[in-house]
Amino acid sequence: MKHSTPPSETDCANLEQSDLLSVDTALQRIRDALTPIQGFERCSLRDAFNRVIAEDVTSPLNVPAYVNSAMDGYAISGSDLPAEGTIQLQVIGTAYAGAPFDGKIQSGQAVRIMTGAMVPEGADTVIMQEQAEREGDNLTIHSGHKPGENVRQIGEDIAKDGVVLAAGKKIRGAELGLLASLGIAEVTIKRRLRVATFSTGDELCSIGETLGPGQIYDSNRYSLYGMLRALNVEHIDMGVIHDDPEAIRNAFTTASEIADVLITSGGVSVGDADYVKQTLDQLGQVNFWKIKMKPGKPLAFGQLDRAVFFGLPGNPVSVMATFYQIVQPSLRHLMGQDTTRPIRLKARSAERLKMRPGRQDFQRGILDRDEKGELIVRSTGNQGSHILSSMSQANCFIVLPADSGPVEAGEMVEVEPFEGLF
Ligand code: AMP
Ligand code: MG
């Protein structure tokens, strides 16, 4: 459609909105552009903690490997169970975990059995000790039991030769235990992703330096350190690079040689984008995007000579929000990790939340339960992208859709708990 009259203010606003890339579209574009790293290494079980499995692990055995008891009680033959009334059985021995009963149960007999002990030959059912009456070697069992009860079958947890852990799975405590239960001492894991970071800005001082007028301490360097550490990557901290074309170019070149990924903060907003852009145009293919999210509109993404590049905005909250929403899932994809989206829950807003439609909003919230046990969320207060204390006070993002207006107290909102995200 052609405009015969100059575009109105609303048209301009719409034009600007359509320029913006939604978080999901940005994530999809990044994912399409990235190939997971190929390198892998072998390591011992404990060293595999928090690493990503590089190839499917199949089970060398059945777990449980033998039929065993789920309870302390009496092993009997299910065919002895009375349909009504009671039955008397004779206790002929004991089976301990690790010390099986050496013999066979005949009809009319029972063996005292402990949890985890092998169910003796001839038995297929375990009666809980609380449900049996014993006097000397005489055992009385009432009706109401099912044949096969309280018995763990072979391969019930894991079947031999089956895939127990698929490639891409992150190894946590449960996985370590699972591998140990199979007697597996070594695993093949993805090599660590090498991630370099630096902060840009002439106003930035490092800890230990004295602040001059107009200067601030570089906090992004440390929040990035923490967020990367939680991902268990190899982090190369290149410190502060001042707004000097030569220094920036050198830093980009070095990072591209030593890292798989470079993450910078600052210098991609309108004020200085052209300047970083010039440097990057000579070194690789980088897109300067405007993301439809708040905080954190500007984001650079592309390929340097060898490293993948993420240029995050400078404001401390924007750094953390863009990292969690965009960079972190992208790094997990690069690490070959299966990437599920973080869990979002519905919670009642305890108060009015300011919101202007336009960009998906990631407000900082404090999630709790009210007296009825229902989830309730309140704001941390000032939502400025420079209020880093809001990230520390918060335990969740309140995720408001781009087209949402203000939220009234009592309305339901979506929240994304930090637990699990960090
Ligand atoms: P920029 O994106 O470079 O225009 O920076 C936006 C805002 O973030 C400015 O107020 C900067 O001073 C601040 N900022 C940039 N980098 C950092 C950093 N590493 N630590 C703390 N604040 C920063
Ligand atoms: Mg700057």
Side-chain angles (χ1 to χ4, degrees):
M1 197 178 85
K2 253 176 95 178
H3 281 287
S4 47
T5 49
S8 69
E9 240 172 62
T10 335
D11 287 338
C12 286
N14 287 341
L15 267 181
E16 201 195 315
Q17 291 311 318
S18 61
D19 257 7
L20 300 182
L21 218 55
S22 74
V23 172
D24 285 342
T25 310
L27 273 173
Q28 194 53 52
R29 286 199 190 170
I30 293 171
R31 210 186 162 87
D32 291 346
L34 298 180
T35 314
I37 51 165
Q38 291 303 310
F40 57 85
E41 54 196 79
R42 293 278 293 170
C43 75
S44 69
L45 204 50
R46 283 195 174 95
D47 290 338
F49 182 68
N50 249 341
R51 302 290 295 272
V52 177
I53 291 186
E55 54 186 29
D56 290 356
V57 178
T58 54
S59 175
L61 31 104
N62 281 306
V63 179
Y66 49 88
V67 180
N68 71 86
S69 177
M71 293 287 172
D72 291 337
Y74 294 91
I76 64 162
S77 164
S79 58
D80 277 348
L81 286 170
E84 50 195 40
T86 59
I87 189 177
Q88 308 283 322
L89 302 173
Q90 191 202 0
V91 180
I92 58 164
T94 305
Y96 296 95
F101 171 75
D102 190 17
K104 191 175 170 188
I105 290 183
Q106 309 291 338
S107 179
Q109 295 180 328
V111 159
R112 169 92 176 111
I113 194 165
M114 309 305 166
T115 305
M118 230 167 150
V119 172
E121 208 185 327
D124 59 6
T125 303
V126 170
I127 307 300
M128 279 170 73
Q129 63 186 28
E130 295 86 341
Q131 295 172 353
E133 289 149 28
R134 182 168 176 182
E135 267 190 57
D137 286 343
N138 279 327
L139 191 71
T140 306
I141 291 168
H142 297 260
S143 63
H145 294 282
K146 274 197 249 104
E149 72 183 25
N150 301 321
V151 166
R152 301 166 176 164
Q153 301 299 335
I154 292 174
E156 196 178 271
D157 185 5
I158 300 159
K160 185 171 184 291
D161 297 327
V163 173
V164 258
L165 295 174
K169 183 93 178 165
K170 183 149 178 180
I171 301 184
R172 295 156 308 173
E175 286 72 29
L176 288 181
L178 201 54
L179 290 164
S181 76
L182 304 173
I184 294 176
E186 281 194 343
V187 262
T188 308
I189 49 171
K190 287 277 189 183
R191 77 160 170 82
R192 269 205 170 104
L193 194 68
R194 280 186 290 274
V195 182
T197 56
F198 64 80
S199 309
T200 68
D202 276 342
E203 74 279 32
L204 301 179
C205 275
S206 294
I207 297 173
E209 291 174 7
T210 309
L211 290 180
Q215 291 192 311
I216 57 169
Y217 285 119
D218 173 8
S219 61
N220 293 342
R221 178 179 187 179
Y222 290 89
S223 34
L224 279 169
Y225 168 84
M227 295 188 291
L228 288 168
R229 183 143 178 189
L231 277 180
N232 203 12
V233 300
E234 192 182 317
H235 180 201
I236 306 154
D237 182 350
M238 297 173 67
V240 176
I241 309 293
H242 285 283
D243 290 328
D244 162 59
E246 190 62 26
I248 295 238
R249 194 177 8 259
N250 288 342
F252 276 119
T253 309
T254 305
S256 174
E257 281 160 3
I258 59 175
D260 301 302
V261 179
L262 169 65
I263 303 171
T264 65
S265 70
V268 293
S269 49
V270 189
D272 25 23
D274 284 341
Y275 163 65
V276 174
K277 203 171 173 183
Q278 275 167 25
T279 319
L280 282 169
D281 275 347
Q282 301 157 6
L283 295 173
Q285 287 221 306
V286 175
N287 305 293
F288 284 78
W289 287 337
K290 285 187 194 132
I291 309 287
K292 207 172 180 170
M293 72 179 280
K294 192 181 167 195
K297 186 157 80 170
L299 183 91
F301 168 73
Q303 185 74 37
L304 303 177
D305 184 20
R306 263 173 291 179
V308 173
F309 171 63
F310 292 92
L312 308 185
N315 272 307
V317 183
S318 309
V319 167
M320 296 199 75
T322 47
F323 184 91
Y324 282 125
Q325 297 305 323
I326 294 178
V327 181
Q328 195 221 48
S330 307
L331 295 186
R332 285 199 279 137
H333 175 65
L334 268 176
M335 290 194 280
Q337 196 184 333
D338 50 1
T339 47
T340 41
R341 301 288 294 139
I343 287 175
R344 288 191 183 159
L345 309 165
K346 292 269 185 208
R348 195 171 300 288
S349 183
E351 59 201 355
R352 185 172 199 274
L353 303 174
K354 284 190 213 155
M355 164 80 187
R356 263 189 301 155
R359 289 185 274 155
Q360 188 178 20
D361 204 349
F362 295 88
Q363 300 199 5
R364 273 72 66 210
I366 301 164
L367 186 64
D368 202 353
R369 288 186 185 279
D370 63 14
E371 58 289 349
K372 282 183 271 162
E374 283 170 9
L375 290 178
I376 188 154
V377 68
R378 59 200 163 84
S379 168
T380 56
N382 188 336
Q383 295 293 312
S385 56
H386 58 298
I387 309 290
L388 187 53
S389 57
S390 70
M391 277 303 294
S392 173
Q393 281 168 31
N395 62 6
C396 70
F397 283 122
I398 304 171
V399 187
L400 302 178
D403 57 5
S404 160
V407 173
E408 298 306 329
E411 280 184 45
M412 298 303 282
V413 288
E414 256 196 337
V415 296
E416 191 174 288
F418 285 171
E419 206 61 54
L421 193 60
F422 281 47

